[in-house]
PDB file of all heavy atoms in Angstrom:
ATOM      1  N   ARG O 189       9.003   8.274 -10.700  1.00 98.00           N
ATOM      2  CA  ARG O 189       8.427   8.305 -12.044  1.00 98.00           C
ATOM      3  C   ARG O 189       8.710   7.008 -12.786  1.00 98.00           C
ATOM      4  O   ARG O 189       9.636   6.256 -12.449  1.00 98.00           O
ATOM      5  CB  ARG O 189       8.995   9.462 -12.863  1.00 98.00           C
ATOM      6  CG  ARG O 189      10.501   9.379 -13.156  1.00 98.00           C
ATOM      7  CD  ARG O 189      10.830   8.840 -14.538  1.00 98.00           C
ATOM      8  NE  ARG O 189      12.267   8.662 -14.748  1.00 98.00           N
ATOM      9  CZ  ARG O 189      12.913   7.547 -14.479  1.00 98.00           C
ATOM     10  NH1 ARG O 189      12.273   6.498 -13.969  1.00 98.00           N
ATOM     11  NH2 ARG O 189      14.218   7.447 -14.694  1.00 98.00           N
ATOM     12  N   GLU O 195      13.706   7.286 -24.154  1.00 98.00           N
ATOM     13  CA  GLU O 195      14.786   6.937 -23.219  1.00 98.00           C
ATOM     14  C   GLU O 195      16.135   7.378 -23.766  1.00 98.00           C
ATOM     15  O   GLU O 195      16.422   7.168 -24.955  1.00 98.00           O
ATOM     16  CB  GLU O 195      14.773   5.417 -23.012  1.00 98.00           C
ATOM     17  CG  GLU O 195      15.127   5.001 -21.620  1.00 98.00           C
ATOM     18  CD  GLU O 195      14.095   5.476 -20.596  1.00 98.00           C
ATOM     19  OE1 GLU O 195      13.062   4.803 -20.448  1.00 98.00           O
ATOM     20  OE2 GLU O 195      14.334   6.523 -19.960  1.00 98.00           O
ATOM     21  N   HIS O 196      16.925   7.983 -22.890  1.00 98.00           N
ATOM     22  CA  HIS O 196      18.229   8.540 -23.259  1.00 98.00           C
ATOM     23  C   HIS O 196      18.085   9.608 -24.352  1.00 98.00           C
ATOM     24  O   HIS O 196      18.962   9.772 -25.190  1.00 98.00           O
ATOM     25  CB  HIS O 196      19.202   7.434 -23.689  1.00 98.00           C
ATOM     26  CG  HIS O 196      19.639   6.586 -22.521  1.00 98.00           C
ATOM     27  ND1 HIS O 196      20.622   6.977 -21.657  1.00 98.00           N
ATOM     28  CD2 HIS O 196      19.177   5.393 -22.060  1.00 98.00           C
ATOM     29  CE1 HIS O 196      20.774   6.045 -20.708  1.00 98.00           C
ATOM     30  NE2 HIS O 196      19.905   5.085 -20.925  1.00 98.00           N
ATOM     31  N   ASP O 198      16.671  12.750 -23.161  1.00 98.00           N
ATOM     32  CA  ASP O 198      16.577  14.064 -22.469  1.00 98.00           C
ATOM     33  C   ASP O 198      17.859  14.867 -22.594  1.00 98.00           C
ATOM     34  O   ASP O 198      17.823  16.070 -22.856  1.00 98.00           O
ATOM     35  CB  ASP O 198      16.088  13.929 -21.012  1.00 98.00           C
ATOM     36  CG  ASP O 198      16.990  13.152 -20.072  1.00 98.00           C
ATOM     37  OD1 ASP O 198      17.942  12.491 -20.534  1.00 98.00           O
ATOM     38  OD2 ASP O 198      16.727  13.193 -18.850  1.00 98.00           O
ATOM     39  N   TYR O 199      19.018  14.207 -22.458  1.00 98.00           N
ATOM     40  CA  TYR O 199      20.276  14.967 -22.549  1.00 98.00           C
ATOM     41  C   TYR O 199      20.689  15.208 -23.995  1.00 98.00           C
ATOM     42  O   TYR O 199      21.765  15.735 -24.265  1.00 98.00           O
ATOM     43  CB  TYR O 199      21.396  14.283 -21.748  1.00 98.00           C
ATOM     44  CG  TYR O 199      21.599  12.814 -22.063  1.00 98.00           C
ATOM     45  CD1 TYR O 199      22.337  12.409 -23.162  1.00 98.00           C
ATOM     46  CD2 TYR O 199      21.026  11.826 -21.255  1.00 98.00           C
ATOM     47  CE1 TYR O 199      22.523  11.069 -23.444  1.00 98.00           C
ATOM     48  CE2 TYR O 199      21.201  10.485 -21.531  1.00 98.00           C
ATOM     49  CZ  TYR O 199      21.956  10.112 -22.627  1.00 98.00           C
ATOM     50  OH  TYR O 199      22.123   8.776 -22.913  1.00 98.00           O
ATOM     51  N   CYS O 328      22.928  13.504 -14.673  1.00 95.00           N
ATOM     52  CA  CYS O 328      21.650  13.123 -15.291  1.00 95.00           C
ATOM     53  C   CYS O 328      21.087  14.256 -16.155  1.00 95.00           C
ATOM     54  O   CYS O 328      21.534  15.401 -16.065  1.00 95.00           O
ATOM     55  CB  CYS O 328      20.644  12.776 -14.203  1.00 95.00           C
ATOM     56  SG  CYS O 328      20.238  14.201 -13.179  1.00 95.00           S
ATOM     57  N   GLY O 329      20.089  13.922 -16.959  1.00 97.00           N
ATOM     58  CA  GLY O 329      19.339  14.926 -17.726  1.00 97.00           C
ATOM     59  C   GLY O 329      18.232  15.529 -16.861  1.00 97.00           C
ATOM     60  O   GLY O 329      18.239  15.395 -15.631  1.00 97.00           O
ATOM     61  N   ILE O 330      17.236  16.146 -17.515  1.00 98.00           N
ATOM     62  CA  ILE O 330      16.208  16.895 -16.775  1.00 98.00           C
ATOM     63  C   ILE O 330      14.937  16.073 -16.520  1.00 98.00           C
ATOM     64  O   ILE O 330      14.092  16.451 -15.703  1.00 98.00           O
ATOM     65  CB  ILE O 330      15.841  18.203 -17.545  1.00 98.00           C
ATOM     66  CG1 ILE O 330      14.945  19.141 -16.710  1.00 98.00           C
ATOM     67  CG2 ILE O 330      15.162  17.908 -18.876  1.00 98.00           C
ATOM     68  CD1 ILE O 330      15.605  19.732 -15.502  1.00 98.00           C
ATOM     69  N   MET O 331      14.802  14.914 -17.182  1.00 98.00           N
ATOM     70  CA  MET O 331      13.508  14.219 -17.139  1.00 98.00           C
ATOM     71  C   MET O 331      13.014  13.928 -15.726  1.00 98.00           C
ATOM     72  O   MET O 331      11.855  14.211 -15.401  1.00 98.00           O
ATOM     73  CB  MET O 331      13.600  12.893 -17.906  1.00 98.00           C
ATOM     74  CG  MET O 331      12.400  11.982 -17.647  1.00 98.00           C
ATOM     75  SD  MET O 331      12.282  10.599 -18.752  1.00 98.00           S
ATOM     76  CE  MET O 331      13.643   9.573 -18.252  1.00 98.00           C
ATOM     77  N   ASP O 332      13.865  13.350 -14.879  1.00 98.00           N
ATOM     78  CA  ASP O 332      13.371  12.816 -13.604  1.00 98.00           C
ATOM     79  C   ASP O 332      12.877  13.929 -12.684  1.00 98.00           C
ATOM     80  O   ASP O 332      11.811  13.828 -12.078  1.00 98.00           O
ATOM     81  CB  ASP O 332      14.478  12.011 -12.911  1.00 98.00           C
ATOM     82  CG  ASP O 332      15.019  10.908 -13.815  1.00 98.00           C
ATOM     83  OD1 ASP O 332      14.376  10.591 -14.832  1.00 98.00           O
ATOM     84  OD2 ASP O 332      16.106  10.381 -13.503  1.00 98.00           O
ATOM     85  N   TYR O 381      26.739   5.513 -18.434  1.00 93.00           N
ATOM     86  CA  TYR O 381      25.829   6.632 -18.757  1.00 93.00           C
ATOM     87  C   TYR O 381      26.634   7.806 -19.317  1.00 93.00           C
ATOM     88  O   TYR O 381      26.298   8.371 -20.355  1.00 93.00           O
ATOM     89  CB  TYR O 381      25.085   7.033 -17.476  1.00 93.00           C
ATOM     90  CG  TYR O 381      24.008   8.069 -17.654  1.00 93.00           C
ATOM     91  CD1 TYR O 381      22.704   7.699 -17.968  1.00 93.00           C
ATOM     92  CD2 TYR O 381      24.288   9.433 -17.490  1.00 93.00           C
ATOM     93  CE1 TYR O 381      21.708   8.653 -18.114  1.00 93.00           C
ATOM     94  CE2 TYR O 381      23.301  10.387 -17.636  1.00 93.00           C
ATOM     95  CZ  TYR O 381      22.005   9.992 -17.943  1.00 93.00           C
ATOM     96  OH  TYR O 381      21.029  10.940 -18.090  1.00 93.00           O
ATOM     97  N   GLY O 500      14.020   3.863 -17.840  1.00 95.00           N
ATOM     98  CA  GLY O 500      15.102   4.483 -17.062  1.00 95.00           C
ATOM     99  C   GLY O 500      16.444   4.273 -17.736  1.00 95.00           C
ATOM    100  O   GLY O 500      16.518   3.929 -18.920  1.00 95.00           O
ATOM    101  N   ALA O 501      17.497   4.464 -16.977  1.00 95.00           N
ATOM    102  CA  ALA O 501      18.842   4.451 -17.567  1.00 95.00           C
ATOM    103  C   ALA O 501      19.248   3.083 -18.107  1.00 95.00           C
ATOM    104  O   ALA O 501      19.983   2.976 -19.071  1.00 95.00           O
ATOM    105  CB  ALA O 501      19.859   4.930 -16.543  1.00 95.00           C
TER     106      ALA O 501
HETATM  107  C1  LIG N 683      18.260   8.457 -15.924  1.00 53.49           C
HETATM  108  C2  LIG N 683      18.560   9.952 -15.952  1.00 53.49           C
HETATM  109  C3  LIG N 683      17.591  10.688 -16.866  1.00 53.49           C
HETATM  110  C4  LIG N 683      17.524  10.027 -18.249  1.00 53.49           C
HETATM  111  C5  LIG N 683      17.333   8.516 -18.124  1.00 53.49           C
HETATM  112  C6  LIG N 683      17.429   7.804 -19.444  1.00 53.49           C
HETATM  113  O1  LIG N 683      17.015   8.246 -15.345  1.00 53.49           O
HETATM  114  O2  LIG N 683      18.468  10.494 -14.647  1.00 53.49           O
HETATM  115  O3  LIG N 683      17.948  12.039 -16.963  1.00 53.49           O
HETATM  116  O4  LIG N 683      18.657  10.330 -19.003  1.00 53.49           O
HETATM  117  O5  LIG N 683      18.279   7.941 -17.245  1.00 53.49           O
HETATM  118  O6  LIG N 683      16.360   8.138 -20.271  1.00 53.49           O
END
Side-chain angles (χ1 to χ4, degrees):
R189 64 99 185 91
E195 216 65 82
H196 289 279
D198 63 349
Y199 52 82
C328 65
I330 189 67
M331 167 168 70
D332 305 345
Y381 186 88

